[in-house]
């Protein structure tokens, strides 16, 4: 009957709208995750650079101390 057809049509429209909303939410979450991943990668890169600089500084200081010790003997 006509009411059943309208009910089915409205149900299909609601399902379609829900699917569009779901996909938009998922896409937004993926964008947020990508942004957080990018920020984490940048933080890791910055920390790695600091560690490298600290190790280079320690090596320079150790070499300086060895050179000073060798010069004094």
């Amino acid at each position: 009957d006509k009411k059943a057809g309208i009910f089915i049509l409205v149900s299909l429209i609601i399902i379609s709208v829900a699917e569009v909303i779901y996909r938009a939410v998922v896409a937004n979450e993926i964008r947020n995750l990508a942004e957080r991943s990018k920020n984490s990668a940048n933080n890791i890169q910055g920390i790695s650079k600091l560690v490298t600089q600290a190790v280079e500084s320690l090596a320079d200081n150790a070499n300086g101390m060895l050179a000073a010790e060798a010069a004094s003997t």
Side-chain angles (χ1 to χ4, degrees):
D1 90 330
K2 195 172 188 176
K3 285 184 180 180
I6 292 173
F7 176 78
I8 291 171
L9 180 61
V10 169
S11 296
L12 291 173
I13 291 170
I14 290 171
I15 290 169
S16 295
V17 168
E19 183 179 354
V20 168
I21 291 170
Y22 172 78
R23 287 178 187 228
V25 168
V26 169
N28 189 50
E29 287 302 313
I30 290 171
R31 279 191 295 276
N32 289 340
L33 179 59
E35 183 66 26
R36 288 194 306 267
S37 296
K38 178 182 146 191
N39 290 340
S40 293
N42 287 338
N43 287 341
I44 290 168
Q45 186 178 21
I47 291 168
S48 177
K49 193 177 209 177
L50 287 173
V51 169
T52 300
Q53 289 170 346
V55 169
E56 288 172 351
S57 178
L58 285 170
D60 290 344
N61 288 338
N63 287 334
M65 290 172 65
L66 289 173
E69 180 66 27
S72 69
T73 58

